[in-house]
Amino acid sequence: MINGIKPLERSLRWGMVGGGGTSQIGYIHRSAALRDGTFTLVAGAFDIDAARGRAFGERLGVAGDRCYSDYQTLFQEEAKRPDGIEAVSIATPNNTHYAICRAALEAGLHVVCEKPLCFTSEQADALVALSRKQNKIVGVTYGYSGHQMIQQARQMVANGDLGEIRIVNMQFSHGFHHRAVEQDSPSTRWRVDPKFVGPSYVLGDLATHPLFLAETMVPALKIRRLMCSRQSFVQSRAPLEDNAFVLMEYDNGAVGSMWTSAVNSGAMHSQKVRIVGEKASLEWWDEHPNQLRYEVQGQPAQILDRGMPYLVDTALEEDRIGAGHPEGLFEAWSNLYRRFAIAMDASDRGDTDFLAQFWYPDVHAGAMGVRWVENCVRSADSGSAWVEFI
Ligand code: NAD
């Protein structure tokens, strides 16, 4: 159980690029990073508007001379200081991730990067190689993967509780963009503009989340080929899709499906993963994250609840409040940031044995999301043909 004891003797000196006062996602990064005392926020280039970013940073308690106008100045100036930042989080629109992540690694920093890591598999490969060369951690914020019930599912699959896995059914299909809301919302506008998001909208923005949850639950499954059909129901979004279906075949004969949508009218989030094995199935839904449904063929369905002693150790270790009280996205992110800090510290100590067995959404997870989107777009744009996964 996590009870506030710091997992590390030190706190990493940490900065942020983006995540400014008007951003959607900045606060949860800070809330997660600061919760367990593993990071201390000392610098940032928080906003595309330098003056607004400085004013915001100062109100967060960051010294004015360490609120920089852009990420290049942040990395240059912090590198000159004996107490400069050791890690940086990138929470800016998608088109900037590759350049900022590359610059951060070149500056010798550990990185936490928003998804998607970048736009092309070539860029992803370059970041994988650079993080290895620089011996630096890149963590990717697939937020709910830090939830204990995902660890529970992972262990149950590994234990063979479901038998051989046959079907993976994934979805992330909300209804919030069922009409052209981008006309009134700046943070939706860039999400439907290829200049900012590259080749896809919902495939990259939404579907990579349940894709990674399923990868976490069943790491052995490798996609062999897939086919994708994508639509732009709000026509001004074309060629970017606001709805897509993907079918996947895995190399062990299992099959998967993904429904991702921003036009699922009336739905809140509808992020779900259902793993079907030869004996039993597991189902997790982000609107009820504390419950994992376990259905054994021929028996009454069971609802496993977070915090209960019957769960596996890996699900109980990161519990923060005990059973009954809800935990959710903020706690899942905190668990991820805690893991990022532990990995960064192990990397700094050269503890490769520890890192080899330690799980967190790493640069390979980020690269896999990029590659998956690329393959989906290639299939959709070839008339929804089946394509080998490359
Ligand atoms: P947003 O538009 O609400 O905010 C973007 C922030 O970045 C703003 O503060 C803006 O001023 C700042 N910014 C933009 N360009 C910058 C630059 N070059 N340098 C410094 N600051 C800059 O966007 P958002 O919804 O917060 O999304 C940001 C990122 O987070 C996106 O990549 C998005 O995909 C991702 N995101 C991830 C999750 C998740 O669950 N992991 C959820 C939402 C968003």
Side-chain angles (χ1 to χ4, degrees):
M1 183 142 182
I2 294 173
N3 60 5
I5 293 175
K6 287 169 67 170
L8 302 175
E9 283 177 11
R10 64 180 178 139
S11 181
L12 288 128
R13 296 183 300 276
W14 177 58
M16 287 191 80
V17 181
T22 59
S23 74
Q24 183 192 2
I25 208 68
Y27 175 58
I28 196 168
H29 278 271
R30 286 184 288 279
S31 159
L34 302 178
R35 185 177 271 183
D36 293 331
T38 47
F39 294 92
T40 304
L41 182 63
V42 294
F46 296 100
D47 202 299
I48 189 75
D49 178 322
R52 202 170 56 178
R54 175 163 292 112
F56 178 67
E58 286 178 349
R59 293 196 71 187
L60 291 176
V62 175
D65 64 341
R66 297 179 82 175
C67 296
Y68 301 94
S69 54
D70 54 64
Y71 72 88
Q72 292 95 335
T73 316
L74 165 71
F75 298 160
Q76 266 164 28
E77 294 304 311
E78 287 294 308
K80 293 177 190 163
R81 300 177 64 111
D83 62 348
I85 55 170
E86 301 163 276
V88 67
S89 290
I90 301 167
T92 52
N94 303 0
N95 61 320
T96 61
H97 294 173
Y98 175 66
I100 302 175
C101 189
R102 200 184 57 194
L105 288 169
E106 282 167 351
L109 298 172
H110 295 296
V111 180
V112 175
C113 190
E114 267 303 345
K115 37 56 62 174
L117 188 57
C118 51
F119 286 164
T120 68
S121 46
E122 287 76 20
Q123 292 174 339
D125 290 344
L127 292 177
V128 169
L130 188 58
S131 71
R132 190 177 302 126
K133 174 169 169 259
Q134 299 289 81
N135 210 10
K136 296 295 166 193
I137 298 298
V138 177
V140 181
T141 39
Y142 291 121
Y144 265 123
S145 66
H147 197 281
Q148 300 100 291
M149 298 316 273
I150 305 301
Q151 295 299 324
Q152 174 72 23
R154 177 182 173 88
Q155 192 58 51
M156 289 176 75
V157 169
N159 290 349
D161 293 349
L162 279 63
E164 194 71 30
I165 303 305
R166 291 174 168 167
I167 300 164
V168 181
N169 189 212
M170 296 161 273
Q171 75 176 62
F172 193 166
S173 45
H174 67 67
F176 290 102
H177 302 164
H178 68 115
R179 59 176 182 83
V181 293
E182 53 270 29
Q183 286 166 3
D184 309 313
S185 158
S187 86
T188 309
R189 202 169 302 140
W190 66 256
R191 284 178 157 80
V192 294
D193 182 343
K195 280 202 302 292
F196 290 90
V197 295
S200 86
Y201 169 31
V202 289
L203 287 161
D205 199 43
L206 303 179
T208 50
H209 282 287
L211 182 79
F212 184 67
L213 293 181
E215 280 169 34
T216 304
M217 292 176 185
V218 199
L221 289 186
K222 303 292 171 224
I223 301 171
R224 187 170 66 80
R225 61 177 199 148
L226 61 72
M227 72 94 101
C228 173
S229 168
R230 63 173 182 162
Q231 298 77 36
S232 314
F233 282 107
V234 175
Q235 284 178 5
S236 53
R237 293 172 182 160
L240 299 186
E241 77 291 342
D242 50 23
N243 188 79
F245 296 97
V246 185
L247 286 179
M248 284 155 274
E249 291 178 356
Y250 298 95
D251 61 5
N252 70 341
V255 291
S257 67
M258 173 81 73
W259 176 30
T260 183
S261 186
V263 296
N264 180 16
S265 304
M268 294 302 288
H269 244 201
S270 287
Q271 182 179 189
K272 291 181 183 172
V273 177
R274 182 175 175 84
I275 311 286
V276 180
E278 61 185 339
K279 296 190 290 195
S281 301
L282 283 173
E283 186 166 309
W284 181 87
W285 179 11
D286 74 347
E287 291 173 30
H288 299 276
N290 292 267
Q291 283 83 37
L292 180 67
R293 202 174 159 90
Y294 177 41
E295 300 166 8
V296 181
Q297 181 58 36
Q299 296 181 21
Q302 296 179 50
I303 306 295
L304 309 184
D305 261 291
R306 186 197 51 72
M308 292 299 285
Y310 51 69
L311 299 182
V312 299
D313 289 349
T314 47
L316 292 171
E317 278 158 12
E318 290 180 329
D319 202 87
R320 290 171 183 269
I321 184 66
H325 301 287
E327 289 191 16
L329 189 65
F330 276 72
E331 288 75 20
W333 273 69
S334 302
N335 293 346
L336 279 194
Y337 259 95
R338 186 183 175 92
R339 284 175 177 270
F340 295 152
I342 290 170
M344 291 171 188
D345 183 64
S347 163
D348 289 350
R349 290 185 288 99
D351 194 344
T352 48
D353 289 347
F354 174 80
L355 284 172
Q357 52 77 47
F358 188 62
W359 176 90
Y360 65 99
D362 62 5
V363 70
H364 300 283
M368 171 61 188
V370 171
R371 190 160 268 121
W372 184 81
V373 171
E374 208 172 52
N375 279 274
C376 288
V377 170
R378 189 161 56 90
S379 164
D381 293 356
S382 329
S384 301
W386 280 95
V387 296
E388 296 300 307
F389 191 81
I390 53 175

